[in-house]
Structure formats: C-alpha cells, structure tokens
Amino acid sequence: VQHEELSLPLYFGWFLLPAVQEKIRCTSMDFLKTLDTLEAFKKHLIDFTGKAEKEVDLEQYYKANGTLHCTTKFCNYGKVEGSKEYAQNPAVRSAYGSVFELSLTALFVTPRTAGARVSLTEEQLLLWPADAEKEVESAVAAAASLPQGSRAHITLGCAEGTEPVQTGVDLLQILALQKEGQQGEPLEMELGSLIYYGEGRWMLTLREPIAVPACFSSFYA
Ligand code: ACK
C-alpha cells in the first residue's frame, strides 16, 4: 500500500521506558568509573590513548546519543533492503506499540563504543531480522556463525567520530572471540566477571541480568 511505503522509519526497535533510561545511564556510568580505576584496565590504557603515559576519563570518553534503544531493523526510510517486508511482517505489526521486558546480560566497551548486550527471548526473536548478523560478515568473519540475535544491544555511548552502528559490530567481534575460546583470566567484580579481549575490548558479564521494560516502536526524524 502506497502510504506504508511513505512511512517507513529510520529504524524499528525497543525503546527503554523513560523511567529506566536514567537507571541504565547510571549503571553504565558506574561501570565506566569502576573500569577506569582498575589496575588491569590501566595496564592496557594504550589501547585507548595510543600513548602509554596518557590518561583517559571513560565517563567523558563516550558521547551519549539520544534515547536508549535496541535496534531491530535499520530501514533508513526504506532504502535498506527488506525494510518494507519487515514493516509488513505480521509479528512486527502486532507487536508494534507493546511493551516488552528486555534482558541486559553484559556491558562492554571498546575504544569506539560502549554498549549493553541484550539477550532476546524466543518471542523477541520473532521481531529480529534474519540477516542482522550476516550483514557484518565482512567485518567479522566468525559473526556469520553466531546465533540469531547475537547483535542485539543498546548503544550507551560512542567515542568522538564513531557512528552508533559500530556498537553491534564491536559486540559481534567480542562474541566471535569468546566463541573461539580467546579469553584471559576473568576478573571477578561486584556486578559480574570482566574479561579483556585485547585491543581495548572489555566485557562484563552480569551476575544478575538487568530487566528493562521497553516499547517496540519505530524512530523517524
Ligand atoms: O546504536 P544503534 O543500534 O546503531 O542505533 C542506531 C540507529 O540505527 C540509528 O542510527 C543503528 N544503525 C545505523 N545504521 C545501521 C545499519 N546499517 N545496520 C544496523 N543498524 C544501524 C544505529
């Protein structure tokens, strides 16, 4: 139908309800603050600064960008392949406007992005595009073999000059390394266990996943 083509959004996704936005931003800042002070992190500062003696303030390093959300389908107003099909998918249409509970299972940072991993339920996976992981195949060779929904994340912040699309790519890269069994000694912290994956990539797997209510909807503008 003509009107539907005209109304394709920039992207579909789950948008955290206002009440939890603040809570997640605080959790994220606490994580960055803690990470910043760890000896293990300081040992690898050069990953972030390029210079051994330089300092970094992680809380300032990442710039927040807009409403916290978990993108399902990036449509770019219909320019992206499969956008129209996605918008017309009965599962998408019937879920539109409803509130889901997302489960955040890990927090991660790289020199480019900071994000939270979202572990999708079977029901939520019905809204996940089949090609989301394959799209980045060239960037992350092993990502193609990761399970559906592996890319699901909330971007918490991006370094100067980095676009938020990078957060999902960084997550897939970490998960690919994890799958290859490439990991050092986990550092046990209050929130969970922290692992360094080289090149400034750190992931904290939460002991207790954080449940956040989020509305499935779309973003224009
Ligand atoms: O942090 P994100 O998931 O990464 O949320 C933003 C949102 O769409 C608006 O820019 C995501 N995004 C941008 N480009 C793409 C893309 N090519 N594939 C998947 N997600 C994208 C971005």
Side-chain angles (χ1 to χ4, degrees), residues 129-205:
D131 54 1
E133 280 74 29
K134 292 188 188 76
E135 263 176 19
V136 292
E137 202 172 356
S138 54
V140 192
S145 64
L146 291 169
Q148 282 269 304
S150 296
R151 189 180 182 173
H153 68 277
I154 294 167
T155 297
L156 298 170
C158 293
E160 199 82 54
T162 300
E163 295 294 330
V165 63
Q166 185 64 40
T167 316
V169 179
D170 285 356
L171 172 60
L172 287 176
Q173 224 167 59
I174 292 174
L175 296 179
L177 291 170
Q178 216 171 58
K179 200 177 164 189
E180 286 166 14
Q182 219 192 95
Q183 47 183 267
E185 275 297 291
L187 208 67
E188 293 310 325
M189 302 184 26
E190 202 181 312
L191 283 175
S193 58
L194 178 73
I195 293 180
Y196 175 59
Y197 291 93
E199 298 173 23
R201 296 168 293 204
W202 295 84
M203 181 177 262
L204 173 77
T205 300

Side-chain angles (χ1 to χ4, degrees), residues 5 30 32 34 53 58 105 155 175 179 186 189 196 206 210:
E5 283 180 50
D30 284 347
L32 296 180
T34 307
E53 66 282 6
L58 285 183
T105 53
T155 297
L175 296 179
K179 200 177 164 189
M189 302 184 26
Y196 175 59
L206 298 169
I210 304 171

